[in-house]
């Protein structure tokens, strides 16, 4: 019987030679394609029939696809320099849970599938949960086709290179209608389970979460030949935006605002940039609170731009309102597991997208560091195995009759 840890180790070896700066694997890039091939082989070795849907999500079926299916899974892509558990733990735990159920002689009474969603992190094309949003119809396919990665490659070009037909990107109501419920296992991104001294928990809610791209426009010029009084330097308002984001979030209980990416163009050491792109990630316990944070930041951005003789354009790149998981399913599964704690998460998930369409739940596995989206992200082997056995019990409960 395979363990989640041994599968994680095998997965981490895939494309490891080409992963720069940690666990960087993004939607449909070379390494991601290798990860998908690894999953397809592992699923095939378990007798699961693997299909790719029109958006590049992988579906590994135990039995023929059919209505009222129990679906589990997560994602294999990561953020730049991310940890090894965010996404992969949910995928390998699903495979290990299938092994455990088989070893117990379990046969599902309902179709059961393990799914790998494409580009959950939005690390390449900028929209998180890309594959699940396209599947659910909550992301416009025409807009998605034109999304560009930092090298200017469109999603249409990337999926074509990965062997898919971009004309088919879009909602899959027939496929989604087969799904009776979805359960995603995920490493906890925080210390809730550590503080509760519990190896496994269930999710209660996900923060409202959006991403905005602010582009400051100034005048490119020479770093040495241009006196300060003659400058229209977009880096000035961009720098003030970073601080304004922290201030705005600090004034709303439970809110977070982050600038993790700031790109001056052209980006020369001795060049005053002509434009600076700043990506804002803002989240809060509610829609109104998130909007309040962003409105404060945008107002400050306009003011700072004007003070420097610059302009700013603002574009909302993605948005998802607060997700509250179905309490009936959540409590039912917590009961199946003998009573595990329910806790909120600040991190977004494909489960948050599917929860808007079908009964959905999440299982969390304890992360002793609480850190995520960084190499320090961790889950102890014993807790990973607790997660697998919890997922196996939940799947047996849901698909057993
Ligand atoms: O950004 C998030 O919360 C998730 O990891 N995509
Ligand atoms: Mn993540
Ligand atoms: Mn994740
Ligand atoms: Mn020169």
């Amino acid at each position: 019987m395979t363990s989640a840890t041994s599968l994680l180790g095998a997965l981490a070896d895939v494309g490891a030679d080409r992963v720069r700066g940690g666990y960087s694997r993004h939607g449909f890039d070379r390494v991601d394609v290798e990860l998908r091939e690894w999953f397809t082989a592992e699923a095939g070795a378990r007798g699961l029939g693997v299909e790719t849907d029109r958006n590049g999500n992988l579906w590994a079926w135990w039995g023929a696809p059919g209505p009222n299916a129990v679906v589990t899974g997560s994602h294999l892509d990561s953020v730049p320099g991310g940890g090894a558990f965010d996404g992969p733990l949910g995928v390998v735990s699903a495979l290990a849970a299938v092994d455990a159920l088989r070893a117990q002689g379990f046969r599902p009474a309902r179709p059961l599938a393990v799914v790998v969603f494409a580009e959950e992190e939005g690390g390449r094309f900028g929209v998180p949960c890309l594959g699940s949003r396209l599947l659910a119809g909550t992301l416009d396919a025409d807009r998605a086709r034109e999304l560009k990665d930092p090298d200017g490659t469109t999603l249409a070009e990337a999926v074509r290179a990965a062997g898919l037909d971009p004309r088919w990107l879009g909602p899959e109501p027939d496929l989604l209608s087969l799904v009776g419920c979805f359960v995603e296992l995920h490493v906890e991104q925080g210390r809730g389970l550590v503080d509760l001294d519990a190896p496994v928990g269930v999710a209660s809610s996900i923060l409202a979460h959006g991403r905005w791209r602010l582009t400051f426009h100034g005048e490119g010029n020479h770093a040495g030949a241009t006196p300060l009084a003659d400058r229209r330097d977009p880096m000035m308002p961009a720098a003030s935006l970073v601080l304004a984001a922290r201030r705005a979030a600090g004034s709303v209980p439970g809110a977070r605002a982050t600038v993790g990416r700031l790109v001056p163009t052209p980006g020369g050491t001795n060049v005053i940039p002509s434009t600076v792109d700043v990506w804002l990630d803002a989240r809060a316990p509610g829609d109104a609170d998130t909007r309040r944070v962003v409105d404060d930041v945008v107002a400050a951005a306009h003011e700072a731009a004007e003070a420097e003789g610059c302009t700013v354009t603002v574009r909302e790149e993605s948005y998802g309102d607060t997700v509250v998981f179905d309490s009936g399913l959540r409590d039912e599964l917590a009961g199946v597991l003998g009573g595990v704690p329910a806790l909120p998460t600040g991190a977004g998930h494909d489960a948050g997208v599917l929860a808007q369409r079908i009964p959905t739940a999440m299982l969390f596995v304890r992360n002793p560091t609480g850190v995520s989206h960084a190499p320090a992200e961790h889950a102890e082997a014993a807790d990973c195995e607790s997660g697998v056995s919890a997922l196996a019990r939940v799947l047996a409960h849901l698909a057993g009759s």
Side-chain angles (χ1 to χ4, degrees), residues 109-125:
R110 298 164 53 179
L112 194 153
V114 177
V115 66
V116 174
F117 287 111
E119 177 79 343
E120 187 274 347
E121 295 292 1
R124 183 173 176 190
F125 295 100

Side-chain angles (χ1 to χ4, degrees), residues 220-226 231 266-273:
N221 211 327
H222 196 296
T226 316
R231 293 181 179 209
T269 305
N270 56 351
V271 177
I272 300 170

Side-chain angles (χ1 to χ4, degrees), residues 147-366:
L147 290 173
K148 286 200 169 92
D149 74 3
D151 299 332
T153 305
T154 64
L155 176 64
E157 290 159 342
V159 299
R160 188 179 290 115
L164 293 166
D165 183 337
R167 290 171 300 172
W168 286 101
L169 291 174
E172 290 253 33
D174 294 348
L175 177 55
L176 206 54
S177 68
L178 297 181
V179 184
C181 62
F182 175 64
V183 181
E184 177 171 4
L185 180 143
H186 205 283
V187 65
E188 190 194 349
Q189 295 158 302
R191 292 178 46 86
L193 289 173
V194 173
D195 298 341
L196 292 165
D197 192 21
V200 173
V202 289
S204 54
S205 64
I206 296 180
L207 288 182
H209 167 202
R211 292 186 188 184
W212 288 263
R213 176 177 182 169
L214 292 95
T215 304
F216 292 95
H217 307 267
E219 181 182 47
N221 211 327
H222 196 296
T226 316
L228 296 185
D230 296 347
R231 293 181 179 209
R232 293 193 299 113
D233 181 353
M235 188 62 90
M236 297 299 109
S240 73
L241 177 121
V242 177
L243 302 175
R246 172 58 69 91
R247 253 195 327 274
S251 66
V252 176
R256 297 108 204 250
T258 311
V259 172
R261 191 169 166 227
L262 182 152
V263 178
T265 299
T269 305
N270 56 351
V271 177
I272 300 170
S274 52
T275 62
V276 177
D277 283 293
V278 184
W279 281 265
L280 172 70
D281 178 310
R283 314 188 190 202
D287 180 51
D289 287 342
T290 309
R291 297 286 177 189
R292 202 171 111 212
V293 169
V294 175
D295 290 349
D296 283 358
V297 174
V298 169
H302 280 289
E303 198 177 316
E306 197 179 330
E308 181 70 20
C310 295
T311 57
V312 59
T313 49
V314 183
R315 197 170 69 189
E316 179 175 293
E317 295 209 324
S318 73
Y319 187 75
D321 196 350
T322 311
V323 172
V324 178
F325 286 103
D326 175 278
S327 57
L329 180 61
R330 180 199 69 202
D331 296 344
E332 179 187 338
L333 300 188
V336 166
L337 299 176
V340 295
L343 55 170
T345 177
H349 299 280
D350 293 308
V353 174
L354 293 200
Q356 296 157 47
R357 290 281 189 279
I358 49 179
T360 297
M362 286 194 78
L363 301 182
F364 288 136
V365 171
R366 176 167 46 193

Side-chain angles (χ1 to χ4, degrees), residues 44-60:
R46 287 166 174 78
L48 306 181
V50 183
E51 298 175 353
T52 305
D53 71 18
R54 63 177 56 174
N55 301 303
N57 304 307
L58 298 173
W59 297 72

